[in-house]
Amino acid sequence: MKDVVIIGAGPIGIACALECKKKGWDYLVLDKGALTNSLFNYPLKMTFFSTSERLEIDNIPFMSTNPKPNRDEALEYYRRVVSNNDLTINLYEEVVYVKKQGLHFLIKTTKQDIQAKNVIVATGFYDIPKLLNVPGENLDKVAHYYKEAHPYSMQKVAVIGASNSSVDAALEIWRKGGDVTMIIRKNQIGERVKYWVRPDILNRIEEGSIKVFYNSEVTEIKEKEIIIKTPTGLKSINNDYVLALTGYQPNFEFLKNLGIQLQKDHHDIPVYNSETMESNVKGIYLAGVICGGKETHKWFIENSIIHAKLIANNLSKTLKEV
């Protein structure tokens, strides 16, 4: 019987594991992918908005050679936090379901059955893209994740969205020789785009290096073209690849299967106590960006690391420290 099972081996799951280890509890972290799987799937050259010290866990120093750390530095930092603290983590082991059995929980994974007194869900939101739901979205030319620019060199690429990921992709692909067109629902580049990147994309648009359709959306994707609904009517443009970087969302079905209630009138934010992070299901806690529901911009690594200590403080009332 485990004291705590933590679902998700991202930075917040790691922070929760550190708290459990300090308390001497019998815990286990499970993740269906690699360590910090979401960070691993970020673009290869991604730079964080935050400085390295704001991404630190438990005051363990995060040293970076850059003003803002990049993806590789973050992967190395969190890996060293895990290895240096000998945290107990099972990777590539997916949780199939969690069932409450009296006062305890049965966690069935792809490899075993585990019993636990408490469960912490720290699964993030990067696994499920928000779909366009248009004809042709299932074509091989369409991707909802961006890794690097080289494959799009000398290609006509449509980038859908106006967030950091969309802007980074558009700029990198253009610099590698891609013919880039951005399709944006609103009338401007997103206001949350990194402050040192936003002027760059605006200048490239103004000079015509990167084309853009504002107040527009893709209505159909074909093998060699896409159809765009614009303020002046439907337009067809030649196209080789589509990057639909329209955002991501938590696995709401998984939360509902746990019995966690979602606030439909408040962006599907799950129900939890902000002082303890315990959900409406006694013994199941939420940590990290998953707490924001569809408001995926609300929680980040730097402002949700505190969730680990809030949970540990509450669990200390029921679990004995060794």
Side-chain angles (χ1 to χ4, degrees), residues 22-291:
K22 285 192 293 184
K23 300 288 188 182
W25 298 331
D26 186 5
Y27 72 94
L28 174 64
V29 183
L30 300 168
D31 199 294
K32 67 179 181 180
L35 185 68
T36 59
N37 196 58
S38 293
L39 300 188
F40 170 73
N41 285 308
Y42 281 175
L44 295 181
K45 295 183 179 181
M46 193 214 75
T47 298
F48 282 85
F49 192 95
S50 298
T51 56
S52 58
E53 61 267 20
R54 297 196 66 197
L55 300 174
E56 291 176 352
I57 297 176
D58 202 35
N59 295 318
I60 300 171
F62 181 174
M63 307 303 294
S64 173
T65 58
N66 305 294
K68 312 276 186 180
N70 59 40
R71 166 190 174 273
D72 287 352
E73 289 177 317
L75 290 177
E76 180 66 11
Y77 170 72
Y78 293 117
R79 184 186 68 79
R80 284 189 174 275
V81 170
V82 169
S83 61
N84 290 350
N85 290 278
D86 195 25
L87 299 182
T88 306
I89 299 178
N90 288 7
L91 300 174
Y92 305 104
E93 182 171 349
E94 184 174 2
V95 174
V96 179
Y97 64 75
V98 178
K99 287 185 177 179
K100 190 152 192 177
Q101 296 183 329
L103 298 177
H104 303 142
F105 297 92
L106 171 66
I107 299 103
K108 184 173 184 61
T109 77
T110 49
K111 297 182 179 180
Q112 61 179 318
D113 291 346
I114 307 166
Q115 288 189 318
K117 299 174 185 177
N118 300 278
V119 175
I120 300 173
V121 181
T123 49
F125 67 88
Y126 199 60
D127 287 340
I128 302 177
K130 296 178 182 177
L131 300 179
L132 301 174
N133 294 314
V134 300
E137 189 172 9
N138 61 339
L139 292 173
D140 291 340
K141 63 185 276 186
V142 181
H144 294 91
Y145 295 89
Y146 167 73
K147 198 72 174 178
E148 60 178 321
H150 181 75
Y152 304 106
S153 177
M154 303 169 62
Q155 303 298 298
K156 295 183 182 299
V157 183
V159 178
I160 304 173
S163 63
N164 278 299
S165 57
S166 304
V167 169
D168 285 346
L171 287 169
E172 288 181 14
I173 292 169
W174 170 70
R175 290 196 165 94
K176 294 298 183 183
D179 182 353
V180 179
T181 300
M182 298 188 74
I183 298 99
I184 298 172
R185 279 191 171 188
K186 296 184 179 181
N187 62 358
Q188 63 176 345
I189 294 295
E191 295 180 353
R192 297 191 186 95
V193 169
K194 289 172 280 195
Y195 65 84
W196 66 93
V197 174
R198 200 169 191 273
D200 190 1
I201 188 66
L202 293 176
N203 288 335
R204 303 295 75 76
I205 291 171
E206 184 177 356
E207 71 187 16
S209 297
I210 293 175
K211 298 176 284 295
V212 65
F213 288 94
Y214 290 116
N215 299 306
S216 303
E217 55 187 292
V218 173
T219 60
E220 186 175 1
I221 302 170
K222 299 182 179 182
E223 288 288 352
K224 290 297 180 182
E225 62 180 322
I226 58 173
I227 310 301
I228 307 170
K229 181 182 178 182
T230 75
T232 58
L234 293 177
K235 293 186 183 296
S236 172
I237 64 171
N238 294 333
N239 172 261
D240 297 309
Y241 290 98
V242 174
L243 284 173
L245 305 179
T246 50
Y248 309 92
Q249 63 184 16
N251 189 336
F252 292 118
E253 284 304 311
F254 181 71
L255 291 178
K256 287 190 285 187
N257 288 338
L258 293 176
I260 295 173
Q261 298 172 3
L262 305 178
Q263 303 177 66
K264 291 298 181 183
D265 295 335
H266 293 85
H267 307 284
D268 286 336
I269 294 174
V271 173
Y272 66 93
N273 183 325
S274 60
E275 295 181 358
T276 66
M277 306 310 296
E278 189 171 25
S279 72
N280 60 282
V281 180
K282 186 173 177 57
I284 296 184
Y285 295 79
L286 304 179
V289 296
I290 197 169
C291 298

